[in-house]
Amino acid sequence: MANETNVPSITNGFHLMVDALKLNDLETIYGVAGIPVTDLARLAQANGIRYIGFRHEQSAGNAAAIAGYLTRKPGICLTVSAPGFLNGMVALANATTNGFPMIQISGSSDRATVDLQQGDYEELDQMNAAKPFTKASYRVERPEDIGIGLARAIRAALSGRPGGVYLDVPASVLGATLDAETATRSLVRVVDAAPRQLPAQESVHRALEVLAKAERPLIILGKGAAYAQADADIRAFIEETGIPFLPMSMAKGLLPDDHPQSAAAARSYALAQADVVMLIGARLNWLLGHGKSPQWSATTQFVQLDIAATEIDSNRAIAAPVVGDIASSVSALLATLEPGQIRPQAAWLKELVQRKQHNIDRMASHLAANPDPMDFYSALGAIKGVLADKPEIYVVNEGANALDITRNVIDMRLPRKRLDSGTWGVMGIGMGYAIGAAVVSGKPVVAIEGDSAFGFSGMEIETICRYHLPIVTVIFNNGGIYRGDDVNRNGGADPAPTVLMKDARYEMLSEAFGGVGYHAVSPQELAKALDDALASGKPALINCAIDPTAGTESGHIGNLNPQSSIAQQK
Ligand code: ADP
Ligand code: TZD
Ligand code: MG
């Protein structure tokens, strides 16, 4: 019979890539099809990999990045050459900045032509272009290297501080054939891609000694702590020591926001007054005022748990670094901690409770006010009520006021449920993160979006409807970036730079693709729409009319705008 001859069976780069992904349990691809990866997407789907096709690579990349964060497996984004590659790069760079494991696999054009700049279709030296924005950037030049190339990408994405990795696959490699036996032998299943990194025991002792001397200690939890999935040990350490904690935005819910030791509602007081601060998977970057005045005291001492040794002393001297993976470090701290060794002063805890109560009361009055038109607080009060008994729901959040006020109002009670603009404060993550979270979890997602923020990924509403994902998008429509009431300083007919269309009917975008649309002008309408939308489990969009004068310039970070000593012209 024909198949009993000596002719070896043949395979090609397309099949090898699919086999390599499957061998490493990478079972979802987020991408946009086109030359030269269309058949790769088809073949992946045919072989049981879930393929989610987007309208723009940036959203595909954002979905992959957040999938990586949630699952601790690199999220895979597939892009076409040059422009598609570059569209995805914003998401890959953002993943690197945030420490999310992700691999962008991109097709690329003919090497010989690209390197001589002879003008190929979609010509770009992608591997080198990607380098400054990634943890690692590799190119596979022979089909028999696909297996090892993917293995290197997985290891680079997951080990140490996770990040974005670029893997370049020229069209010729995808199409190249090789015999099936060589191909099979070339595949690599990665073993222990994120090995534990144990902290030195002396660093653990040093950290506990510094904490033991503290009168006003504070623990800051960052998204590195959330990523580490050491939830029970982190909680045990906090509860056994009695140290108050402050979650960074994506660490909200690691311990419930209504936990009695949460100092979130007394944030600025806690930062300014703490004498010892323990950072667990949080960087002393701009989000923490670089650990410097005016937010911080010059005498505060720091303990820092991080996997990246170079993070230590990055902005301020760290008295007790504990370098290791957070799960190992926290468990070593717990094992070494002696009963009663760490005791925050009673006066400190009492002062925090009083400050908290004051701010909670102030917030309650904001939430209860019922202005017409709605402001951010009254809208969020309605959403808070609906989400109160649904802790399993993911909350995706971006915007300026829409971001800052939501972060303060909406409590999280489970870890890794809040996904937001992150370290860069980037706009455009909304629909991609929502899709990624819904795909990996099968759980509902509520995306709370500024009207400007939404626009960056708004076309993915079609993607959400096409895949029937349980995502409810709430648009805080205040008619602009920060506010909707600015005026053209030259008196002309063009709108001001920050102004968007206030009367835009965003809900019709959902209806256009078979989703449900709501227009809410009161907290009651908003609460009912959100309740109904979540009960239906279907894609929906709620266009929420917010007072155009309700926001403040740049939200809570107006201080970062450049200040000129020369008076503004008009
Ligand atoms: P946030 O924005 O919430 O403050 P950052 O992204 O600035 O958090 O900081 C997260 C930190 O956590 C990074 O410095 C990163 O190196 C670290 N990190 C990430 N994963 C781990 C882990 N598994 N173990 C230890 N540190 C980690
Ligand atoms: N582009 C990108 C990619 N990221 C950004 N952060 C910005 C531009 C600048 N920017 C912000 O920092 S917030 C924001 C922009 C454009 C939008 C704020 O308007 P919004 O929210 O409607 O989303 P509010 O509620 O009106 O403040
Ligand atoms: Mg707005």
Side-chain angles (χ1 to χ4, degrees):
M1 276 162 34
N3 60 2
E4 283 174 5
T5 65
N6 287 335
V7 180
S9 64
I10 294 290
T11 185
N12 64 21
F14 289 112
H15 281 93
L16 260 173
M17 182 59 86
V18 170
D19 292 347
L21 289 166
K22 290 192 67 165
L23 184 64
N24 286 286
D25 303 321
L26 298 172
E27 278 159 351
T28 308
I29 294 176
Y30 307 87
V32 176
I35 296 171
V37 299
T38 315
D39 276 347
L40 181 58
R42 287 198 184 107
L43 191 71
Q45 189 174 54
N47 282 276
I49 290 181
R50 187 158 193 212
Y51 180 83
I52 308 286
F54 285 72
R55 307 306 298 261
H56 191 289
E57 291 86 353
Q58 191 179 126
S59 290
N62 284 323
I66 212 66
Y69 169 73
L70 292 171
T71 63
R72 291 160 58 96
K73 289 198 277 186
I76 304 295
C77 172
L78 182 66
T79 59
V80 305
S81 328
F85 155 80
L86 283 172
N87 281 345
M89 277 307 296
V90 173
L92 192 66
N94 186 54
T96 306
T97 300
N98 282 294
F100 300 160
M102 165 179 170
I103 301 172
Q104 181 177 335
I105 300 175
S106 187
S108 60
S109 300
D110 180 62
R111 284 249 44 83
T113 318
V114 170
D115 286 350
L116 274 174
Q117 299 183 28
Q118 293 172 313
D120 204 359
Y121 168 71
E122 299 193 339
E123 174 180 295
L124 185 73
D125 179 5
Q126 296 168 194
M127 176 188 73
N128 285 306
K131 278 183 182 164
F133 305 108
T134 52
K135 241 186 111 177
S137 178
Y138 303 115
R139 179 160 50 229
V140 171
E141 309 235 14
R142 304 182 298 191
E144 61 268 38
D145 289 339
I146 286 176
I148 206 79
L150 186 68
R152 287 180 69 60
I154 293 170
R155 245 177 224 295
L158 284 177
S159 60
R161 174 187 289 167
V165 177
Y166 177 60
L167 187 62
D168 194 81
V169 191
S172 56
V173 174
L174 289 169
T177 53
L178 74 170
D179 75 89
E181 209 187 303
T182 312
T184 306
R185 269 191 276 112
S186 74
L187 292 176
V188 178
R189 183 174 165 90
V190 175
V191 178
D192 195 15
R196 289 180 65 187
Q197 285 181 227
L198 302 181
Q201 192 57 27
E202 66 257 31
S203 75
V204 172
H205 280 292
R206 192 187 298 120
L208 291 175
E209 279 157 23
V210 171
L211 285 166
K213 290 199 199 104
E215 296 180 347
R216 299 183 305 282
L218 177 70
I219 289 176
I220 296 182
L221 300 169
K223 58 179 153 345
Y227 176 81
Q229 300 200 9
D231 310 340
D233 272 1
I234 290 173
R235 185 171 184 147
F237 186 80
I238 288 174
E239 291 183 342
E240 279 182 32
T241 58
I243 301 177
F245 71 92
L246 202 59
M248 300 301 287
S249 68
M250 282 180 60
K252 275 165 70 78
L254 194 43
L255 277 77
D257 275 334
D258 58 4
H259 191 285
Q261 283 171 255
S262 168
R267 188 176 195 272
S268 8
Y269 180 81
L271 294 186
Q273 300 296 320
D275 62 352
V276 174
V277 172
M278 179 184 201
L279 300 162
I280 308 187
R283 287 171 281 189
L284 273 182
N285 56 17
W286 70 278
L287 286 157
L288 282 169
H290 303 282
K292 294 177 184 156
S293 146
Q295 284 106 312
W296 296 80
S297 146
T299 57
T300 307
Q301 283 203 302
F302 286 90
V303 175
Q304 183 165 22
L305 272 58
D306 208 292
I307 202 160
T310 50
E311 191 54 42
I312 310 300
D313 298 332
S314 61
N315 285 266
R316 215 182 135 152
I318 303 296
V322 181
V323 174
D325 75 273
I326 283 170
S328 301
S329 296
V330 176
S331 102
L333 284 161
L334 267 174
T336 314
L337 177 71
E338 286 162 22
Q341 186 183 3
I342 295 172
R343 271 182 205 285
Q345 263 189 1
W348 169 237
L349 302 180
K350 198 169 142 211
E351 185 66 20
L352 284 174
V353 167
Q354 282 168 358
R355 299 269 168 167
K356 255 171 78 171
Q357 201 50 52
H358 175 76
N359 290 337
I360 288 168
D361 293 345
R362 214 175 47 178
M363 171 78 79
S365 69
H366 275 313
L367 294 178
N370 196 0
D372 183 22
M374 272 189 288
D375 66 5
F376 291 95
Y377 286 96
S378 52
L380 283 163
I383 296 175
K384 187 182 171 88
V386 175
L387 297 185
D389 61 352
K390 302 175 184 66
E392 74 287 357
I393 288 184
Y394 285 88
V395 174
V396 169
N397 187 202
E398 60 177 336
N401 295 280
L403 175 77
D404 294 333
I405 305 178
T406 302
R407 182 176 58 237
N408 288 345
V409 173
I410 302 295
D411 284 345
M412 307 305 298
R413 273 157 299 146
L414 293 175
R416 295 170 294 282
K417 293 290 183 182
R418 188 188 149 85
L419 313 169
D420 67 24
S421 298
T423 303
W424 262 352
V426 70
M427 300 299 113
I429 49 88
M431 298 301 101
Y433 279 12
I435 293 168
V439 165
V440 299
S441 71
K443 297 258 162 40
V445 179
V446 173
I448 303 176
E449 301 272 311
D451 53 335
S452 164
F454 172 72
F456 289 75
S457 66
M459 198 62 202
E460 304 300 341
I461 291 288
E462 190 272 340
T463 309
I464 291 170
C465 291
R466 184 162 28 98
Y467 288 93
H468 310 289
L469 297 171
I471 296 170
V472 184
T473 303
V474 180
I475 298 182
F476 281 175
N477 184 359
N478 64 345
I481 298 177
Y482 317 135
R483 292 167 71 94
D485 63 344
D486 204 3
V487 293
N488 181 333
R489 302 310 208 248
N490 79 14
D494 284 350
T498 55
V499 164
L500 298 172
M501 195 178 275
K502 180 166 84 63
D503 296 321
R505 299 292 300 275
Y506 292 107
E507 71 278 18
M508 294 171 80
L509 200 52
S510 182
E511 288 164 3
F513 304 115
V516 185
Y518 302 88
H519 186 217
V521 300
S522 69
Q524 295 72 24
E525 283 176 15
L526 173 54
K528 172 139 188 13
L530 184 56
D531 239 340
D532 290 354
L534 287 172
S536 81
K538 300 212 172 88
L541 190 154
I542 306 174
N543 180 14
C544 204
I546 301 285
D547 184 350
T549 68
T552 52
E553 176 99 355
S554 304
H556 292 181
I557 51 172
N559 60 310
L560 298 182
N561 274 319
Q563 304 292 321
S564 168
S565 54
I566 304 167
Q568 286 273 327
Q569 291 302 300
K570 282 187 187 171

PDB file of all heavy atoms in Angstrom, residues 496-516:
ATOM      1  N   ALA A 496     -14.005  72.022  21.413  1.00  0.00           N
ATOM      2  CA  ALA A 496     -12.748  72.106  22.159  1.00  0.00           C
ATOM      3  C   ALA A 496     -12.028  70.750  22.114  1.00  0.00           C
ATOM      4  O   ALA A 496     -12.664  69.718  21.882  1.00  0.00           O
ATOM      5  CB  ALA A 496     -13.044  72.512  23.598  1.00  0.00           C
ATOM      6  N   PRO A 497     -10.697  70.744  22.344  1.00  0.00           N
ATOM      7  CA  PRO A 497      -9.916  69.505  22.237  1.00  0.00           C
ATOM      8  C   PRO A 497     -10.420  68.348  23.100  1.00  0.00           C
ATOM      9  O   PRO A 497     -10.258  67.185  22.734  1.00  0.00           O
ATOM     10  CB  PRO A 497      -8.505  69.925  22.684  1.00  0.00           C
ATOM     11  CG  PRO A 497      -8.430  71.382  22.405  1.00  0.00           C
ATOM     12  CD  PRO A 497      -9.821  71.917  22.607  1.00  0.00           C
ATOM     13  N   THR A 498     -11.029  68.652  24.216  1.00  0.00           N
ATOM     14  CA  THR A 498     -11.452  67.565  25.108  1.00  0.00           C
ATOM     15  C   THR A 498     -12.926  67.177  24.922  1.00  0.00           C
ATOM     16  O   THR A 498     -13.413  66.270  25.589  1.00  0.00           O
ATOM     17  CB  THR A 498     -11.277  67.980  26.584  1.00  0.00           C
ATOM     18  OG1 THR A 498     -11.993  69.205  26.792  1.00  0.00           O
ATOM     19  CG2 THR A 498      -9.817  68.169  26.944  1.00  0.00           C
ATOM     20  N   VAL A 499     -13.610  67.868  24.025  1.00  0.00           N
ATOM     21  CA  VAL A 499     -15.057  67.652  23.919  1.00  0.00           C
ATOM     22  C   VAL A 499     -15.394  66.520  22.951  1.00  0.00           C
ATOM     23  O   VAL A 499     -14.822  66.418  21.869  1.00  0.00           O
ATOM     24  CB  VAL A 499     -15.755  68.970  23.520  1.00  0.00           C
ATOM     25  CG1 VAL A 499     -17.178  68.714  23.018  1.00  0.00           C
ATOM     26  CG2 VAL A 499     -15.788  69.929  24.710  1.00  0.00           C
ATOM     27  N   LEU A 500     -16.311  65.650  23.373  1.00  0.00           N
ATOM     28  CA  LEU A 500     -16.846  64.594  22.509  1.00  0.00           C
ATOM     29  C   LEU A 500     -18.349  64.814  22.386  1.00  0.00           C
ATOM     30  O   LEU A 500     -18.914  65.717  23.007  1.00  0.00           O
ATOM     31  CB  LEU A 500     -16.550  63.216  23.103  1.00  0.00           C
ATOM     32  CG  LEU A 500     -15.069  62.866  23.243  1.00  0.00           C
ATOM     33  CD1 LEU A 500     -14.904  61.571  24.032  1.00  0.00           C
ATOM     34  CD2 LEU A 500     -14.397  62.741  21.877  1.00  0.00           C
ATOM     35  N   MET A 501     -18.995  63.938  21.617  1.00  0.00           N
ATOM     36  CA  MET A 501     -20.413  64.138  21.350  1.00  0.00           C
ATOM     37  C   MET A 501     -21.252  63.715  22.556  1.00  0.00           C
ATOM     38  O   MET A 501     -21.376  62.534  22.857  1.00  0.00           O
ATOM     39  CB  MET A 501     -20.786  63.307  20.125  1.00  0.00           C
ATOM     40  CG  MET A 501     -22.089  63.674  19.513  1.00  0.00           C
ATOM     41  SD  MET A 501     -22.357  62.658  18.073  1.00  0.00           S
ATOM     42  CE  MET A 501     -21.470  63.588  16.839  1.00  0.00           C
ATOM     43  N   LYS A 502     -21.813  64.688  23.240  1.00  0.00           N
ATOM     44  CA  LYS A 502     -22.540  64.417  24.478  1.00  0.00           C
ATOM     45  C   LYS A 502     -23.793  63.586  24.234  1.00  0.00           C
ATOM     46  O   LYS A 502     -24.149  62.728  25.033  1.00  0.00           O
ATOM     47  CB  LYS A 502     -22.925  65.754  25.132  1.00  0.00           C
ATOM     48  CG  LYS A 502     -23.701  65.611  26.432  1.00  0.00           C
ATOM     49  CD  LYS A 502     -23.756  66.924  27.185  1.00  0.00           C
ATOM     50  CE  LYS A 502     -24.884  67.838  26.692  1.00  0.00           C
ATOM     51  NZ  LYS A 502     -26.237  67.262  26.911  1.00  0.00           N
ATOM     52  N   ASP A 503     -24.465  63.853  23.124  1.00  0.00           N
ATOM     53  CA  ASP A 503     -25.726  63.152  22.879  1.00  0.00           C
ATOM     54  C   ASP A 503     -25.533  61.877  22.063  1.00  0.00           C
ATOM     55  O   ASP A 503     -26.489  61.346  21.508  1.00  0.00           O
ATOM     56  CB  ASP A 503     -26.718  64.092  22.198  1.00  0.00           C
ATOM     57  CG  ASP A 503     -27.075  65.254  23.129  1.00  0.00           C
ATOM     58  OD1 ASP A 503     -27.216  65.001  24.343  1.00  0.00           O
ATOM     59  OD2 ASP A 503     -27.172  66.394  22.649  1.00  0.00           O
ATOM     60  N   ALA A 504     -24.294  61.408  21.987  1.00  0.00           N
ATOM     61  CA  ALA A 504     -24.033  60.176  21.238  1.00  0.00           C
ATOM     62  C   ALA A 504     -24.886  59.036  21.799  1.00  0.00           C
ATOM     63  O   ALA A 504     -24.997  58.888  23.010  1.00  0.00           O
ATOM     64  CB  ALA A 504     -22.555  59.820  21.337  1.00  0.00           C
ATOM     65  N   ARG A 505     -25.467  58.240  20.925  1.00  0.00           N
ATOM     66  CA  ARG A 505     -26.326  57.122  21.347  1.00  0.00           C
ATOM     67  C   ARG A 505     -25.516  55.828  21.303  1.00  0.00           C
ATOM     68  O   ARG A 505     -25.761  54.945  20.469  1.00  0.00           O
ATOM     69  CB  ARG A 505     -27.564  57.063  20.447  1.00  0.00           C
ATOM     70  CG  ARG A 505     -28.421  58.336  20.516  1.00  0.00           C
ATOM     71  CD  ARG A 505     -29.092  58.513  21.866  1.00  0.00           C
ATOM     72  NE  ARG A 505     -29.974  57.394  22.163  1.00  0.00           N
ATOM     73  CZ  ARG A 505     -31.237  57.300  21.754  1.00  0.00           C
ATOM     74  NH1 ARG A 505     -31.769  58.268  21.046  1.00  0.00           N
ATOM     75  NH2 ARG A 505     -31.955  56.248  22.059  1.00  0.00           N
ATOM     76  N   TYR A 506     -24.554  55.726  22.197  1.00  0.00           N
ATOM     77  CA  TYR A 506     -23.659  54.562  22.202  1.00  0.00           C
ATOM     78  C   TYR A 506     -24.424  53.242  22.270  1.00  0.00           C
ATOM     79  O   TYR A 506     -23.973  52.219  21.771  1.00  0.00           O
ATOM     80  CB  TYR A 506     -22.688  54.645  23.381  1.00  0.00           C
ATOM     81  CG  TYR A 506     -21.673  55.759  23.262  1.00  0.00           C
ATOM     82  CD1 TYR A 506     -21.774  56.908  24.050  1.00  0.00           C
ATOM     83  CD2 TYR A 506     -20.620  55.664  22.361  1.00  0.00           C
ATOM     84  CE1 TYR A 506     -20.843  57.925  23.945  1.00  0.00           C
ATOM     85  CE2 TYR A 506     -19.691  56.686  22.252  1.00  0.00           C
ATOM     86  CZ  TYR A 506     -19.803  57.818  23.044  1.00  0.00           C
ATOM     87  OH  TYR A 506     -18.890  58.822  22.932  1.00  0.00           O
ATOM     88  N   GLU A 507     -25.594  53.257  22.904  1.00  0.00           N
ATOM     89  CA  GLU A 507     -26.325  51.994  23.078  1.00  0.00           C
ATOM     90  C   GLU A 507     -26.739  51.382  21.738  1.00  0.00           C
ATOM     91  O   GLU A 507     -26.914  50.169  21.626  1.00  0.00           O
ATOM     92  CB  GLU A 507     -27.540  52.193  23.993  1.00  0.00           C
ATOM     93  CG  GLU A 507     -28.705  52.993  23.414  1.00  0.00           C
ATOM     94  CD  GLU A 507     -28.524  54.506  23.497  1.00  0.00           C
ATOM     95  OE1 GLU A 507     -27.388  54.973  23.690  1.00  0.00           O
ATOM     96  OE2 GLU A 507     -29.521  55.230  23.347  1.00  0.00           O
ATOM     97  N   MET A 508     -26.844  52.255  20.711  1.00  0.00           N
ATOM     98  CA  MET A 508     -27.242  51.736  19.403  1.00  0.00           C
ATOM     99  C   MET A 508     -26.138  50.893  18.766  1.00  0.00           C
ATOM    100  O   MET A 508     -26.395  50.064  17.892  1.00  0.00           O
ATOM    101  CB  MET A 508     -27.649  52.889  18.481  1.00  0.00           C
ATOM    102  CG  MET A 508     -28.911  53.582  18.987  1.00  0.00           C
ATOM    103  SD  MET A 508     -29.280  55.096  18.109  1.00  0.00           S
ATOM    104  CE  MET A 508     -30.046  54.426  16.642  1.00  0.00           C
ATOM    105  N   LEU A 509     -24.910  51.107  19.225  1.00  0.00           N
ATOM    106  CA  LEU A 509     -23.791  50.299  18.739  1.00  0.00           C
ATOM    107  C   LEU A 509     -24.014  48.835  19.123  1.00  0.00           C
ATOM    108  O   LEU A 509     -23.750  47.920  18.343  1.00  0.00           O
ATOM    109  CB  LEU A 509     -22.522  50.833  19.395  1.00  0.00           C
ATOM    110  CG  LEU A 509     -21.170  50.534  18.802  1.00  0.00           C
ATOM    111  CD1 LEU A 509     -21.123  50.899  17.335  1.00  0.00           C
ATOM    112  CD2 LEU A 509     -20.111  51.327  19.569  1.00  0.00           C
ATOM    113  N   SER A 510     -24.507  48.620  20.333  1.00  0.00           N
ATOM    114  CA  SER A 510     -24.798  47.257  20.761  1.00  0.00           C
ATOM    115  C   SER A 510     -25.956  46.690  19.940  1.00  0.00           C
ATOM    116  O   SER A 510     -25.890  45.565  19.431  1.00  0.00           O
ATOM    117  CB  SER A 510     -25.130  47.260  22.259  1.00  0.00           C
ATOM    118  OG  SER A 510     -25.385  45.966  22.727  1.00  0.00           O
ATOM    119  N   GLU A 511     -26.992  47.502  19.788  1.00  0.00           N
ATOM    120  CA  GLU A 511     -28.163  47.044  19.023  1.00  0.00           C
ATOM    121  C   GLU A 511     -27.779  46.693  17.585  1.00  0.00           C
ATOM    122  O   GLU A 511     -28.309  45.753  16.993  1.00  0.00           O
ATOM    123  CB  GLU A 511     -29.247  48.132  19.033  1.00  0.00           C
ATOM    124  CG  GLU A 511     -29.909  48.268  20.407  1.00  0.00           C
ATOM    125  CD  GLU A 511     -30.692  49.578  20.570  1.00  0.00           C
ATOM    126  OE1 GLU A 511     -30.777  50.358  19.604  1.00  0.00           O
ATOM    127  OE2 GLU A 511     -31.195  49.798  21.688  1.00  0.00           O
ATOM    128  N   ALA A 512     -26.832  47.435  17.034  1.00  0.00           N
ATOM    129  CA  ALA A 512     -26.421  47.190  15.648  1.00  0.00           C
ATOM    130  C   ALA A 512     -25.919  45.767  15.457  1.00  0.00           C
ATOM    131  O   ALA A 512     -25.974  45.226  14.356  1.00  0.00           O
ATOM    132  CB  ALA A 512     -25.329  48.177  15.241  1.00  0.00           C
ATOM    133  N   PHE A 513     -25.420  45.153  16.533  1.00  0.00           N
ATOM    134  CA  PHE A 513     -24.844  43.817  16.401  1.00  0.00           C
ATOM    135  C   PHE A 513     -25.673  42.762  17.129  1.00  0.00           C
ATOM    136  O   PHE A 513     -25.183  41.676  17.428  1.00  0.00           O
ATOM    137  CB  PHE A 513     -23.403  43.833  16.921  1.00  0.00           C
ATOM    138  CG  PHE A 513     -22.547  44.860  16.237  1.00  0.00           C
ATOM    139  CD1 PHE A 513     -22.020  45.934  16.929  1.00  0.00           C
ATOM    140  CD2 PHE A 513     -22.302  44.763  14.867  1.00  0.00           C
ATOM    141  CE1 PHE A 513     -21.244  46.887  16.287  1.00  0.00           C
ATOM    142  CE2 PHE A 513     -21.524  45.710  14.214  1.00  0.00           C
ATOM    143  CZ  PHE A 513     -21.002  46.781  14.920  1.00  0.00           C
ATOM    144  N   GLY A 514     -26.902  43.094  17.475  1.00  0.00           N
ATOM    145  CA  GLY A 514     -27.775  42.102  18.093  1.00  0.00           C
ATOM    146  C   GLY A 514     -27.697  42.069  19.606  1.00  0.00           C
ATOM    147  O   GLY A 514     -28.324  41.225  20.246  1.00  0.00           O
ATOM    148  N   GLY A 515     -26.913  42.967  20.207  1.00  0.00           N
ATOM    149  CA  GLY A 515     -26.897  43.065  21.665  1.00  0.00           C
ATOM    150  C   GLY A 515     -28.024  43.971  22.133  1.00  0.00           C
ATOM    151  O   GLY A 515     -28.774  44.526  21.336  1.00  0.00           O
ATOM    152  N   VAL A 516     -28.147  44.114  23.458  1.00  0.00           N
ATOM    153  CA  VAL A 516     -29.188  44.977  23.996  1.00  0.00           C
ATOM    154  C   VAL A 516     -28.584  46.344  24.310  1.00  0.00           C
ATOM    155  O   VAL A 516     -27.429  46.434  24.724  1.00  0.00           O
ATOM    156  CB  VAL A 516     -29.792  44.354  25.281  1.00  0.00           C
ATOM    157  CG1 VAL A 516     -30.962  45.193  25.788  1.00  0.00           C
ATOM    158  CG2 VAL A 516     -30.238  42.935  25.012  1.00  0.00           C
TER     159      VAL A 516
END
